[in-house]
Every structure is written in structure tokens, then in C-alpha cells.
Amino acid sequence: MSALLEVDGLEVDYGTARALDGADLRVAAGEAVGVVGESGSGKSTLGAAIGRLLPRQAVVAAGTVRVAGEPVLDLPPAALRRLRRQRLGFVFQDPIASLDPTMRVGAQLRLVLRAHGRDGRESPGGRDGGRGGADVAFHLARVKLDDPRVAAAYPHQLSGGMAQRVAIALAMAASPELLVADEPTASLDSQVREEVLNVVFALARQAGTSIVWLSHDLPAVARRCDRVAVMYAGRVVESGPAADVLGDPVHPYTAALARSAPAVAVPGVRLEPVPGRPPVLTGPSPGCAFAPRCPFAEDRCATERPEPVRVGAKDVLCHRAAELEVIA
Amino acid sequence: MNRTARVKRSRRLDPLSLAGLGCLLLLVLVALGSLVHAGGDPDAIVGPRLRPPGPGWWLGTDNLGRSMLPRVMEGVGTTLLLSSAAVLVTAALSAGFGILAGYRGGYLNELIMRVVELLYSFPAIVLAILVAAVAGPGQLAAVASIVLVTIPLMTRLVRAAAVAVAERDYVTAAAISGAGLPRILGRHVLPNVAGTIAVQGTYALSVGISVEGGLSFLGFGVQPPQASLGVLIRQGGTYMMAAPWLIIGPGVVLVLAILSINVLGDGLRDRFEPRETRSLI
Amino acid sequence: MRLLLWWAGRALSSAVTLLGISVLIFAALRLMPGGFAETILGPFATPAQKAELAARYGLDQSVFAQYGHWLAAVGTGDFGTSMISRQPVAAELWARLPVTGRLTLFAVAAAVLAGVPLGVLTALRARPGGGGAAGRLLSGLGVSVPEFALGSLVVFVVSRYGLQTSGYLLPAAVLSIFAISATARTTRDAVLNVLVEPHVTAAVARGETPWFIVRHHILRNAAGPVLTLTAYLLGGALIVEYLFNLPGIGSYVVQAVGRRDYAVVQAGVLLAATVFIVMNVLIDLLVGLVDPRLGRRA
Ligand SMILES: Nc1ncnc2c1ncn2[C@@H]1O[C@H](COP(=O)(O)OP(=O)(O)OP(=O)(O)O)[C@@H](O)[C@H]1O
Ligand SMILES: [Mg+2]
């Protein structure tokens, strides 16, 4: 089966800083994939690259991104816009800032619906051709915003959770095939988080939309996603079915991450954080970027770049994957 | 290889800004040259009246038969001298008031910002005219006008920078560890607002040249026989039809001076206060 | 409601500024050569007139009382008498208002119709780092030519080629060039600032066209700084009137400084500052209507 999203060997530099160092990611249709990693591991860069939304100073040094077979990084502008409009949806970290501050929520939603009407694509609930209030109310109700005052409010009058639901409604209005959510709940209170995530996953399931959820939180991701990809220093070091990655990690970094996660901590057992800090790359890493922090590192780990190894249902980026699999 | 080159470029000024700097230095050289009459005596009558540029008078002669070259050089000198003197005064006052307002806050901040807003409420040339009316036309009026026109913006920006610095941990730490106020302001705050002062000082210089020119053009700034760029343009206006070179020379130099300073200011701003350029469309 | 409160606060603070300006101008008036009586009446006043003035303005009283009397007179539109024409200054200014008004209105229209689109276009073309040296040079040139230099150039070119120099077309054109280049630059900066906001990224991510984004998400967000600029055109109007010998308020005040007709100078400066401040308040109101966040910032 050909995947909906295929990222292959993507390398992205910001001036001298290397944000992605050969990242691979595969997402099938209808699947929810969680991408986890520490701050600076390149999650946002990967997410932005999927829609070719990288800032101008970012340079793609190598690699490809395909969405439904289309080469995102090489499309002409009009085709790129069509792809974004019809197949992709994005939700960002700061919900209030990602809405136009000078426009009421209803007007913003209407604007988006009208654009989809022009495409000749009927959005769900679009009984009156994307013109009127019924449509707006329908799309707000889908994200559990039933209060009619929301449509008349400006973004700064909403709470973070409400604003994020509006942003989700905007992104999902056209029922995209792939939704990229970059830490959509990072700026929200913990009670609101679950509600917002419920809304996202319910809507996506209903519309058959695949999800790429970028997050810091391995257990939370493992709970909701079908598959998990763990990033370290600009590469995906381990990916596979969520239960396998969290419950049976092979890569030493994933293992340390899984052990230190509070959700799996057993009372009385000491948390084991990963000692050391992630590297700041200024070019391709000569070997495995995790080697300096790795308790299992050998000589070749510092000099030889690891290639993905198939271990069970997972892809692991480690020279000693086979041996470690046995240990685990 | 490529990578290191990119870093170096961002630390240095870009070529256009360097060109601006070069142009400005050249003008300063010209001004210095005028002190020793490098282009000739600006008051000497060297030939027939209103002659177009030619040997002996490379920028033409004026209505009295004086060569325009030394007069323009003297004009550059006067204009640059008055403007930079005024900008130095502005920089000193703005640094003092801005840091005081930003770091001390309270009623002092309130008072200083009120006065600044007051001055901000006059269009530049209107303020200059009021100054000229009180002080009487002359160099003092020109300098005072430039100071009053440029001080509000610089004080505001210095204050904003000082507020940002005052909130930083190391300043708080210095204050807690008992460093005196002058020491904190001198050692910690001033170096951090210096970039703002440099950038704004550059822009202020170009505003100053423009204000001096405008005021002298109206007849309220520098008074003849002393030459300044504004005076020369005013005088040239009378004979514009017969002798356009009288106005073209000083006009070009004036625009060149302002332009090169503005370009340099943009370069300095990008270096000291880089702003985010994350834009997608 | 919030917006209303914010606006009331803004109006109040402007009133305080205006009061400050009146103090400044009153002080300037007393500093001017010749003293207060001569400033108001001119040098040829009879002793009787002077005595009458002294009584009316309370010149025998304290400075504060004098300021009060002066302020009261100014407040009722009594700016004294022009020394040259022996006419009330207020009437003279009123007669010249249409010239200045027409000139500035024309320039404002040009700024909005040409300057704003130009600024938007150059902002969208701008690339970080370079922007093209030529582009930077050109846009720099726009703000580096002072009004009086460009005006002189235009007068020269026009009279050289025997074109019509009277009328409002040329002065309006000169002022408009300024308005356009200044507006273009301000618009450019404002748009560049909006361009990096996350909501623009979000719109790009939704696959909107650049033109659509500019129209629906950028123009309104960038309106504030651009509107504010129109208030600065007053100074340019003064130079242009003087240059083209137009009988407007600006040239009148310039002449008055030359002739030491101080009653006119104080009235002109006070008027300019007042118009400037009132326009700023009105513009703030407009911007507040356009950008609902302002009410919150108060
Ligand atoms: N606009 C930019 N300019 C320069 N460097 C950048 C830029 N954006 C990101 N980087 C660098 O690229 C690397 C990866 O950043 P990215 O934002 O993709 O990481 P992330 O995993 O999303 O981190 P976080 O969890 O903090 O969001 C970091 O080292 C960061 O400093
Ligand atoms: Mg991120």
C-alpha cells in the first residue's frame, strides 16, 4: 500500500544550524501518527516541511516530501496551494495568534468556507452554499462550540481552548486527508487538553483524516496514536506501532524516554532521565548523534551514520539494534 | 566553507551599507578639506558671473562670480558640523532622559514621557519655525531645532531599551548585590542601549541635515554669506533658470548625504536589532 | 464599551498634551523679542492701545494669571491682531484654510491610492538579507529627498520647459510624491510586521493565494501606522506652499516669521499642533474600530 505521506531523507538547515538531518516518516491513510522528541529535535521543522511552510531562511539540503504521491517541495505555486487547500490541514501551537485578530470568528470561518465553495468542493453541512450562518454554526458545533456568541467574538475574547477549537474547525473545514498538529495543546491548561484532543481525534476519525501529531509527551501520544515516531537531533530514530515503541523500545534513546515518562513510573522506582544534553548540529552528524549520551555506544557509533533497521514491526536507527532487541 | 562565509556576512555590514559609510566618510573629508580651502577660497571672485561648470570653476560660478566648488564644500562642512553637533546633544540628552525614565520609572518617567510627547506633537518644520521665531534666525536656531525634532523618538526608543534591560536577571542581580545606581547604569544599562543610540543617532543625523536644509531654505537657519547646503539651494533658486548648476550641485550633495546615512542606518539596524524574517508569502 | 473607555482616555491625554503645548507657546511668546504687548499689537501701537491690552490680559498680574487670560482669549478664537495687515489673525487664517486643506486632502488621497499599494507590493517582494540593493536604494531615495529640494527641482523643470506653474496641480503633485513615498515605506514596514504573524502562516497553510491573504488578513492589520502618517503631511504642506507661493496657512506663517509678525506665528503654530493632535485622536479612533485589540491594551 502506498503511504499518504512519505518523507525521505529530509535535511533542513537554518543558516548554520541543522534542524533535520535525514528524517524519514511514513503515514498511511486514516492513520494517527505521533511524532515525539525533545525541544529542538526538529519536530516543528518536519511538520512545516510537510506543507512547505518552512520560513525563508530554511534551506532544504536534501530529501523529498510526498503527499498522496505529489512532490510537495517541487510543486509550482498554484499546485502547491491546491494541495494545501484540498489535502492538508494545519493546527499550530499558539491558538489565539493563529487567528486573524481583526476579524470575528464567524467571519473567518465564512471566508474559509467560501474559498472551498469556489473550489467546487462541498464541505460537510454546506447546505446553503457556504454563504450563511447555518454553515458557520455547523462547523463550530463540530468542535463542540455551541454557544452562538463564539461566532460573534474576536479571537482575543476567547480562551485558549476555545480559540484552538476554532483553529481546528478552520483546518478541518475542507475535510483534509492529512492534519498536521504541532503541539496543539502545549499552551492550554491540562483540563482543556483532553477535550481539545478528543475533538481533534473524533473529527479526524469521522472524516477519515490522517493525523501527524507533534508532541513532547510520549505516553499521551502512545495512548491515542496508532503509530509513534521518536525524533532525536533531526532524525527519526525509532518508529512503529505505538504499543511496541512505548512498551518494547529498542533504541537506547527511546528506552530512556519510555523509562523516564511519568505515566509509566511505578511508585518506589526511581525515574531514570537521559543524562547529558542533545547536540546542536551545524552540519550532517558524522555518526549516531545520540552516541555521546548512549550507554551502549561503540567506536563505530561516533563515525558511521546508522541506517534504519527493521526490528519486528519497527524501524530503528541504531547500529546495535539487533543485539539490543535481544537484551530488551 | 559555504557555511562560514554566511556567518561572516551577517556579522559585517552589507555592501550597500558599506557604500553608504564610504560616501559619508568622503563627505566628511570634503568638509575637512573646506577648512583648509582645498577647493579654493569660497569667498574669492574667480571669474565671470553665472558661468556653467568649466576649468577654474568645476561646479560653475554664482551670481557674484564666486566658484561654486569651494562654496559647496563649505556648505557640506557647515551642514555636517551643525547636524552632528545637534545629534551629539540629542544623543547625550536622550541617553540621560531615556535611561532615567526607563530604569527609574515612576513620576520621573511620567514627566519625561509627557514632555517628549509634547514635542512629538509638532510637525518637524513647524517646531523649527517656532524655534527660529524665538531664538531669531541663525545657527543656534538650526541646532536647537534639530535637537528638539530628533529628541522625542530617540528618548522613547532608549527608554524602551532601558526598560528591557532593567528586567534582565543580571541587572537585578547587580542591584541586589549592592552596586550603586551610577555603576548599574554605566556598567549594565548604557552598554545595552548603546546599539539603539547608534542606530537612532544615524537616522537623527539624516533628519538633522534635512531640518537644517529646510530651515535655511526658508531663510531662518544659517545666514549668508556663510554657506550651508540649505543656504546654497535657497540662493540658487533665484537664478535657477539662468544657472541651474547653482542648485543642482548642492541639491545632489544634500540628497547623497541623506541617502547614504539612511542606507547606513538600515544596515546598522539590521545588525543591532535583527528582526524576524519568517514570512511565507 | 472598553473601546469607548479607551478612547475617552486617549482624548483626555491629548487634552493634557494640548494644554502643555499652550504653555510652551505662551512661554515662547514671552521670550520673543519685543515682549508680549508688542507681539500682540505690533510695534506701532499707541500707549492707549497698550494700556487697554494690559488691562485686558492682566499684564500687571502674575504670570499665571496672564496665562489664564491668554488661554481664555485663544480659547474663544481670539489670536490677536496681525501687525502687518491690522486684521484679526483668526480671520486671516480662516481665509487661507481652503488652500492648505485642498493641498493636504489631495496628498492624502494620493498616499492612500498609490502609496499603500506600492508599500504592499514592495513588502511582498522583499527578501530577507538582500531585498536587492537596487530596491533598497530606490526606496531609500524616496525618503531621502527633502520636500524643498524636490520642490525646487520640479519648479525648475516645469519653468524650464515652459509648463504652467500656477495653480494647484504642481504643488499637489510635489506633496503627493512625498505622501506616496512616505506612505509606501510605512506600509511596507507594517506589512512586513504582519507577514510574520502566525495567523498569516495559518492562512498560507490553508492554501489561500497571496492576494487573498493581503486583502483579507493583512491590509486591516497594517492600517494603523499608515493612517498615523497622514498627520505628518502638515509640515510638508507648509514647505510646498512657500515654494509655490500659494496663499495658504503655511506660507502665511513663514512670511510672518520673516516679518516678525508674532501674533500670526503663535496662532499658526498653535493651530498646526492642534490639528496634528486632533487628527491623531481621530486616527486612533479609526484604528480602534479597525483593530479590536486596541481596546484591550488600554
Ligand atoms: N527560524 C529558525 N531560525 C533558525 N533556527 C531555527 C529556526 N527554527 C528552528 N530552528 C532551529 O532548528 C532546530 C529544530 O527546531 P524545531 O523548532 O523544529 O524543533 P522542535 O522539535 O519543534 O522544538 P520545540 O519542541 O521546542 O518546538 C532547533 O535547533 C532550532 O534552534
Ligand atoms: Mg516545535
Side-chain angles (χ1 to χ4, degrees):
Chain A
M1 180 193 63
S2 155
L4 173 64
L5 171 71
E6 300 161 282
V7 179
D8 281 309
L10 194 60
E11 300 179 15
V12 174
D13 295 312
Y14 292 103
T16 56
R18 168 147 287 214
L20 290 184
D21 188 29
D24 307 308
L25 186 69
R26 218 148 283 264
V27 177
E31 189 180 49
V33 175
V35 177
V36 293
E38 286 169 282
S39 203
S41 57
K43 303 182 297 291
S44 297
T45 307
L46 179 62
I50 294 172
R52 215 211 277 179
L53 294 168
L54 293 166
R56 277 189 182 151
Q57 65 267 42
V59 177
V60 177
T64 56
V65 176
R66 286 178 178 277
V67 172
E70 297 192 71
V72 177
L73 300 179
D74 302 317
L75 287 178
L80 176 64
R81 283 197 295 271
R82 189 175 38 72
L83 179 86
R84 285 169 177 163
R85 228 166 29 234
Q86 300 182 349
R87 299 192 195 274
L88 295 176
F90 282 84
V91 178
F92 300 102
Q93 188 169 345
D94 183 351
I96 294 175
S98 60
L99 301 174
D100 186 336
T102 64
M103 232 178 176
R104 293 177 199 275
V105 165
Q108 299 192 39
L109 198 48
R110 217 167 290 130
L111 208 56
V112 169
L113 295 174
R114 213 175 65 193
H116 292 306
R118 268 202 318 269
D119 268 5
R121 283 166 61 93
E122 204 50 33
S123 50
R127 280 171 303 277
D128 51 4
R131 195 169 19 88
D135 226 14
V136 167
F138 171 83
H139 281 275
L140 288 177
R142 287 213 304 173
V143 291
K144 304 277 185 297
L145 288 170
D146 296 312
D147 191 335
R149 283 175 303 181
V150 171
Y154 286 103
H156 72 259
Q157 296 167 328
L158 300 177
S159 71
M162 291 163 97
Q164 193 59 294
R165 287 187 222 192
V166 172
I168 292 165
L170 290 175
M172 290 296 293
S175 303
E177 290 162 39
L178 176 66
L179 182 74
V180 179
D182 188 353
E183 304 193 40
T185 55
S187 63
L188 304 181
D189 294 340
S190 51
Q191 309 100 296
V192 190
R193 281 186 188 169
E194 289 302 312
E195 296 169 24
V196 168
L197 289 173
N198 287 340
V199 163
V200 172
F201 278 84
L203 257 184
R205 185 148 312 135
Q206 202 184 328
T209 300
S210 301
I211 296 181
V212 171
W213 174 19
L214 314 173
S215 170
H216 280 113
D217 192 349
L218 180 56
V221 161
R223 233 178 299 131
R224 287 186 186 267
C225 293
D226 307 313
R227 281 157 36 82
V228 172
V230 178
M231 288 194 74
Y232 187 81
R235 301 189 80 178
V236 174
V237 294
E238 180 160 0
S239 65
D244 288 7
V245 173
L246 184 66
D248 187 18
V250 172
H251 196 285
Y253 176 66
T254 318
L257 213 58
R259 275 199 302 278
S260 70
V264 295
V266 182
V269 178
R270 215 165 60 87
L271 285 181
E272 200 177 330
V274 192
R277 299 187 133 267
V280 178
L281 297 180
T282 53
S285 167
C288 171
F290 187 61
R293 291 167 84 184
C294 182
F296 306 102
E298 310 172 329
D299 287 349
R300 60 172 175 157
C301 292
T303 52
E304 229 176 276
R305 276 174 77 91
E307 291 305 320
V309 181
R310 193 79 190 179
V311 180
K314 293 178 293 190
D315 289 307
V316 182
L317 214 62
C318 176
H319 289 306
R320 305 188 61 186
E323 306 160 53
L324 292 173
E325 151 83 311
V326 177
I327 298 172
Chain B
M1 185 65 219
N2 194 7
R3 221 161 254 130
T4 48
R6 204 177 290 147
V7 176
K8 263 185 198 151
R9 198 183 318 145
S10 70
R11 296 240 167 96
R12 271 213 315 242
L13 283 174
D14 60 301
L16 193 61
S17 310
L18 281 178
L21 183 63
C23 194
L24 185 62
L25 289 179
L26 191 73
L27 287 174
V28 170
L29 222 64
V30 165
L32 291 178
S34 80
L35 291 181
V36 295
H37 290 181
D41 182 355
D43 299 320
I45 292 174
V46 298
R49 299 155 23 109
L50 300 180
R51 271 308 140 96
W57 42 86
W58 295 107
L59 290 178
T61 65
D62 70 0
N63 57 316
L64 298 177
R66 295 175 296 193
S67 169
M68 281 303 284
L69 180 65
R71 292 193 60 70
V72 171
M73 286 176 69
E74 187 194 346
V76 170
T78 310
T79 297
L80 278 186
L81 184 69
L82 291 182
S83 312
S84 38
V87 168
L88 285 182
V89 174
T90 298
L93 292 178
S94 293
F97 288 136
I99 290 177
L100 218 55
Y103 189 78
R104 276 317 260 300
Y107 73 95
L108 209 59
N109 170 46
E110 202 54 41
L111 183 71
I112 292 173
M113 286 301 111
R114 272 283 162 209
V115 173
V116 162
E117 184 172 346
L118 206 72
L119 290 175
Y120 222 53
S121 313
F122 292 94
I125 200 71
V126 174
L127 189 58
I129 282 182
L130 185 64
V131 171
V134 173
Q139 298 191 1
L140 181 65
V143 171
S145 299
I146 298 172
V147 170
L148 289 179
V149 166
T150 52
I151 218 171
L153 185 60
M154 207 194 284
T155 306
R156 275 187 183 186
L157 294 173
V158 169
R159 175 184 165 274
V163 168
V165 173
E167 284 163 359
R168 286 196 206 142
D169 291 343
Y170 63 84
V171 175
T172 316
I176 291 172
S177 69
L181 186 62
R183 188 181 159 81
I184 292 177
L185 294 185
R187 285 290 285 274
H188 298 295
V189 182
L190 190 61
N192 281 290
V193 300
T196 306
I197 294 176
V199 173
Q200 286 310 312
T202 314
Y203 287 129
L205 191 59
S206 97
V207 171
I209 293 176
S210 173
V211 167
E212 185 282 318
L215 202 60
S216 300
F217 176 75
L218 293 176
F220 305 140
V222 174
Q223 299 296 309
Q226 191 182 5
S228 83
L229 292 177
V231 166
L232 290 174
I233 292 176
R234 176 183 172 83
Q235 291 178 331
T238 319
Y239 304 96
M240 196 158 59
M241 296 318 299
W245 52 90
L246 291 189
I247 194 164
I248 289 173
V252 167
V253 173
L254 180 85
V255 171
L256 205 64
I258 297 177
L259 180 63
S260 57
I261 292 170
N262 280 343
V263 166
L264 178 64
D266 287 349
L268 286 177
R269 184 189 58 190
D270 289 348
R271 219 194 106 164
F272 283 115
E273 303 159 2
R275 69 171 155 195
E276 220 188 333
T277 45
R278 188 200 158 98
S279 101
L280 292 165
I281 61 170
Chain C
M1 188 56 211
R2 247 201 220 127
L3 188 63
L4 213 65
L5 267 180
W6 170 78
W7 195 66
R10 183 71 183 73
L12 196 72
S13 111
S14 302
V16 173
T17 307
L18 257 181
L19 215 60
I21 284 175
S22 74
V23 172
L24 199 73
I25 292 176
F26 179 73
L29 217 53
R30 298 195 48 102
L31 284 174
M32 281 173 188
F36 188 73
E38 193 173 303
T39 301
I40 297 293
L41 293 174
F44 311 114
T46 62
Q49 280 173 319
K50 280 184 180 163
E52 196 244 346
L53 184 88
R56 205 168 104 219
Y57 289 106
L59 290 187
D60 44 353
Q61 297 165 26
S62 73
V63 177
F64 300 105
Q66 288 179 30
Y67 169 69
H69 289 299
W70 174 80
L71 192 64
V74 165
T76 58
D78 178 2
F79 294 107
T81 308
S82 161
M83 165 189 108
I84 306 290
S85 67
R86 309 285 171 95
Q87 296 292 315
V89 174
E92 300 249 315
L93 289 178
W94 185 248
R96 287 167 168 82
L97 185 62
V99 174
T100 308
R102 226 176 305 170
L103 208 57
T104 32
L105 276 184
F106 192 91
V108 167
V112 171
L113 293 180
V116 172
L118 215 64
V120 171
L121 278 182
T122 50
L124 293 183
R125 290 259 163 276
R127 293 285 178 275
R136 266 177 69 197
L137 210 57
L138 215 66
S139 88
L141 200 62
V143 287
S144 297
V145 186
E147 287 99 332
F148 72 95
L150 179 78
S152 303
L153 180 72
V154 169
V155 171
F156 167 67
V157 169
V158 162
S159 37
R160 180 106 211 197
Y161 298 102
L163 301 169
Q164 186 72 28
T165 42
S166 61
Y168 290 91
L169 194 62
L170 275 181
V174 170
L175 194 58
S176 298
I177 292 176
F178 269 90
I180 289 169
S181 70
T183 311
R185 196 174 162 100
T186 317
T187 306
R188 182 173 179 277
D189 282 352
V191 169
L192 283 176
N193 282 336
V194 181
L195 273 177
V196 301
E197 284 184 20
H199 77 265
V200 173
T201 308
V204 173
R206 286 195 296 268
E208 316 281 24
T209 61
W211 164 237
F212 183 93
I213 295 172
V214 166
R215 200 180 100 178
H216 291 288
H217 299 298
I218 290 178
L219 278 185
R220 231 169 327 104
N221 279 285
V226 176
L227 288 176
T228 311
L229 190 84
T230 55
Y232 288 83
L233 285 177
L234 285 173
L238 182 146
I239 295 271
V240 168
E241 283 174 16
Y242 173 79
L243 196 74
F244 288 92
N245 254 323
L246 290 181
I249 293 177
S251 55
Y252 184 50
V253 172
V254 173
Q255 279 168 12
V257 177
R259 297 166 176 166
R260 304 186 189 283
D261 194 350
Y262 294 121
V264 173
V265 176
Q266 54 122 11
V269 172
L270 195 58
L271 185 70
T274 308
V275 170
F276 194 79
I277 286 175
V278 169
M279 271 183 58
N280 268 318
V281 173
L282 288 180
I283 284 165
D284 275 350
L285 175 67
L286 261 176
V287 173
L289 290 180
V290 160
D291 187 344
R293 280 170 303 179
L294 282 178
R296 198 179 45 148
R297 274 195 215 127

